[in-house]
Amino acid sequence: MSAAVPPPGSARPVLIIGTERSGSNLLRLMLDAHPAIAVPHPPHLMRYLAPLAASYGDLGVAANRTRLARDALRIVRAHLHPWPHPVDLARVVRESDASTFGVVAAIYEQYREAEDKPRWGCKSTFMVDHIDEVLRRYPDARFVWLVRDPLDVAASAKRAVFGPSMPYRMARLWLREQRCADAALARHGPAVVYLLRYEDLVTEPEGALNELCSFLGEPMHAGMLHHHLTSGARRIGALAESWRRAAQPVGADRIGAHRTGLTAAERRQVAAVAAPLARRLGYDHGSDADAAPEEVAPSMVAMALRSAGLRTVIEVRSLCRDRNYTRRLRRDATVRSLRLTAWARTRVPMELPQLRTR
């Protein structure tokens, strides 16, 4: 099946890449406040479906693509931040190409159309692993590499329901994903991948947004500076503690949050893992970054116990404070169900001949 032709005006999607807890919710709301860009809260479709792609078979076959699209819409319906617009399954199958991202793109295209905007955006930072797939379908796509001090990322993740709560593990994830984004920048150049530091965005938002809009080929819109006044910001800010700041004005008070959010040992661990890429990105952690990662790495037992302790505290706090706690459980159950079904699809055909001989 030949690749579908993106509808006029939607051939330049905007994708935020990097690592969670880097200010991507803030940037999403700022971009969504632009009259030309629609950026829904992401159900992370590629993160969940790309590893299962082989289980659907040849996506050039409409029945297989329908099964994939139906599962993608199950995730959208179970999303912990519900979308305001329905998505038509038949249209997704008809308008997608024979790839997992083709199905995802067709879903986002319908959202863009419902919002009556010419471009769509995706805030799923996990798309850092799928840049080349995006560019195959949308050669004019633009990527915003949002980077934040890894110490502050780890401090934020330590209290958040999303991502590894253990700072050492978060540091390793930060390093892997920044390396992916850095490689994409080297491969495709600054006309395709734009490096934006969280610290610049919150200390000089107008200047940072002006430069970002220039990269995107869009005029700066004043509403981007008042994202917190939108209904979308108020809605997400009320859903979960991890998103509460989304409904507040831009502020630089979270720069340096690691000073109170991490212990001295955790700062050394994160700094050692993140260096030297952190230094090249403008983050100087002084003597904390001088140790080799293996010198400060906690034992597997210590990591498991610390992670379990942090996760328990996070879940109890989320149960008490987050309005979408049950939706998160539902989303996680949906993803586990899809993984189990995918495993069964790939396993059963190999076992059937043995079953028939018994």
Side-chain angles (χ1 to χ4, degrees):
M1 179 178 178
S2 60
V5 178
S10 66
R12 298 185 298 144
V14 180
L15 297 99
I16 301 171
I17 57 174
T19 300
E20 288 192 301
R21 312 315 301 168
S22 296
S24 56
N25 262 319
L26 168 65
L27 182 57
R28 178 187 79 82
L29 290 166
M30 287 176 160
L31 289 171
D32 192 54
H34 195 287
I37 310 172
V39 193
H41 194 276
H44 302 303
L45 295 175
M46 287 298 288
R47 178 193 185 192
Y48 297 129
L49 292 174
L52 312 181
S55 72
Y56 293 97
D58 180 5
L59 294 179
V61 177
N64 294 340
R65 201 163 62 258
T66 299
R67 189 162 55 238
L68 171 60
R70 186 177 292 115
D71 287 349
L73 293 185
R74 283 183 61 191
I75 296 174
V76 172
R77 287 191 296 272
H79 186 32
L80 41 86
H81 187 295
W83 280 16
H85 310 296
V87 180
D88 183 271
L89 172 63
R91 277 192 60 191
V92 171
V93 176
R94 185 171 63 251
E95 296 175 0
S96 61
D97 64 21
S99 69
T100 304
F101 178 69
V103 169
V104 172
I107 291 172
Y108 271 79
E109 290 288 359
Q110 286 195 40
Y111 184 92
R112 174 198 66 79
E113 183 181 282
E115 291 286 301
D116 193 25
K117 292 186 178 184
R119 301 173 75 172
W120 59 266
C122 178
K123 177 256 176 196
S124 183
T125 55
F126 304 102
M127 293 301 293
V128 71
D129 292 316
H130 304 284
I131 292 173
D132 291 340
E133 295 168 69
V134 175
L135 289 172
R136 278 195 292 271
R137 179 172 173 84
Y138 294 100
D140 293 324
R142 294 294 177 262
F143 299 87
V144 183
W145 173 15
L146 181 63
V147 64
R148 183 184 183 187
D149 188 330
L151 291 179
D152 288 343
V153 170
S156 179
K158 192 177 173 182
R159 294 177 51 84
V161 296
F162 311 108
S165 51
M166 176 73 180
Y168 180 79
R169 287 177 171 163
M170 192 68 208
R172 294 178 63 178
L173 177 63
W174 183 92
L175 180 62
R176 187 193 72 77
E177 292 177 332
Q178 306 324 300
R179 282 175 170 168
C180 285
D182 190 40
L185 175 57
R187 188 163 63 250
H188 301 293
V192 175
V193 180
Y194 180 81
L195 175 60
L196 173 62
R197 284 168 38 108
Y198 166 83
E199 293 78 11
D200 296 332
L201 182 64
V202 297
T203 54
E204 295 288 343
E206 185 170 4
L209 290 174
N210 263 307
E211 292 184 12
L212 174 59
C213 286
S214 178
F215 162 75
L216 296 176
E218 300 286 353
M220 167 69 178
H221 190 269
M224 301 174 76
L225 295 168
H226 306 290
H227 71 283
H228 59 288
L229 300 178
T230 64
S231 59
R234 291 194 299 270
R235 186 181 184 199
I236 189 175
L239 280 175
E241 185 181 37
S242 295
W243 298 335
R244 197 148 295 159
R245 291 180 61 84
Q248 301 173 8
V250 177
D253 56 299
R254 296 305 296 167
I255 296 177
H258 64 272
R259 296 187 183 95
T260 56
L262 298 179
T263 66
E266 289 169 341
R267 282 195 294 274
R268 286 194 297 273
Q269 291 166 5
V270 173
V273 168
L277 184 54
R279 287 196 186 100
R280 190 156 63 79
L281 292 172
Y283 301 109
D284 185 1
H285 299 144
S287 60
D288 283 338
D290 292 341
E294 59 272 14
E295 294 176 0
V296 296
S299 68
M300 294 298 292
V301 173
M303 278 198 290
L305 291 175
R306 182 60 171 154
S307 294
L310 288 170
R311 179 52 55 179
T312 299
V313 172
I314 288 169
E315 290 296 332
V316 170
R317 191 169 60 241
S318 178
L319 174 62
C320 296
R321 301 181 183 181
D322 292 349
R323 290 175 55 192
N324 62 352
Y325 179 79
T326 55
R327 289 195 67 90
R328 180 163 60 86
L329 297 183
R330 178 187 172 196
R331 189 277 311 274
D332 293 347
T334 299
V335 172
R336 283 194 293 268
S337 172
L338 294 180
R339 288 171 177 165
L340 181 60
T341 301
W343 178 84
R345 278 200 300 262
T346 56
R347 295 277 297 178
V348 170
M350 293 186 291
E351 296 177 356
L352 282 177
Q354 296 179 348
L355 292 173
R356 289 172 183 154
T357 61
R358 290 178 181 175

